[in-house]
Amino acid sequence: MAVAANFTAPMKQIAQQFEKTSGYKVSLAFGSSGKFFAQIQNGAPYEIFLSADQAKPIAMEKAGLMVPGSRFTYAIGTLALWSPKAGVVKDGGEPLQSGQFNKLSLANPKLAPYGLAATQTLEKMQLTAATRAKWVQGENISQTYQFVASGNADIGFVALSQIMSNGKITSGSSWLVPSEYYSPIRQDAVLLNAGADDAGAKALLSYLQSDAARAIIHAYGYKTE
């Protein structure tokens, strides 16, 4: 199955639990939603797609690339500004306003919904022009996180799920960007045509909507419907 990079940690945990309870084996591939969308359009044999947005699954629905009626929102994401160092990022988004940083990491807004949310946030804060020269763009949110974690960028816009476990921020300093600063990151799942007759794929999508899976999803800072 193809899984948006921001959902890596929770999906690994969900797959592990699903394999234990169901007896099925799950093969996971993680990356940018945009790249997966292109691959699926070109015939990649994925059976399930967990996107980082709604737009790509809706486009797949219109293009006949998925099983009709299988699309649902499995998670609603939260954007965070993060530094691996304590005391660097403060409520309100500092040091964005002061410009006291060398590099700002964000995902490519054309490929990654969290990147789009980051650029929308900077627009809302009227900081696009002031910060653009300091942007370092990752292809997906995992690469964006690595830029910051490795020190190649001082701060970065990441998915809350990447810095949260068991309901707590795991390291550094962060600011949870107010949800009104960016379009809702509604992440949709679909059963692709290649999985139409696969009982395991259907069982996994059903499990993803279970209370057990939702508890894991919530522990990584996502919301569900």
Side-chain angles (χ1 to χ4, degrees), residues 158-212:
V158 300
L160 176 58
S161 60
Q162 294 173 297
I163 57 171
M164 176 174 274
S165 184
N166 296 319
K168 294 180 181 177
I169 303 295
T170 53
S171 66
S173 53
S174 60
W175 171 55
L176 303 193
V177 180
S179 58
E180 63 267 22
Y181 282 26
Y182 55 91
S183 301
I185 306 173
R186 296 176 65 86
Q187 304 190 191
D188 279 10
V190 296
L191 179 64
L192 298 167
N193 290 338
D197 299 317
D198 190 306
K202 292 176 181 176
L204 178 53
L205 282 177
S206 179
Y207 186 78
L208 194 59
Q209 300 174 78
S210 70
D211 288 342

Side-chain angles (χ1 to χ4, degrees), residues 38-122:
Q39 289 171 5
I40 293 163
Q41 280 182 310
N42 290 315
Y46 297 115
E47 297 187 346
I48 293 172
F49 176 42
L50 267 55
S51 182
D53 66 359
Q54 276 191 315
K56 294 171 190 66
I58 288 171
M60 287 177 170
E61 207 164 22
K62 290 177 180 173
L65 296 170
M66 52 160 280
V67 175
S70 68
R71 181 173 65 84
F72 66 93
T73 300
Y74 66 91
I76 301 167
T78 297
L79 184 70
L81 183 70
W82 176 69
S83 166
K85 297 178 181 177
V88 174
V89 176
K90 299 180 174 65
D91 281 348
E94 186 60 30
L96 280 178
Q97 290 96 333
S98 67
Q100 297 298 306
F101 62 93
N102 290 319
K103 296 293 180 184
L104 167 66
S105 181
L106 65 159
N108 184 335
K110 293 178 181 174
L111 289 174
Y114 282 84
L116 177 60
T119 57
Q120 289 174 337
T121 295
L122 291 169

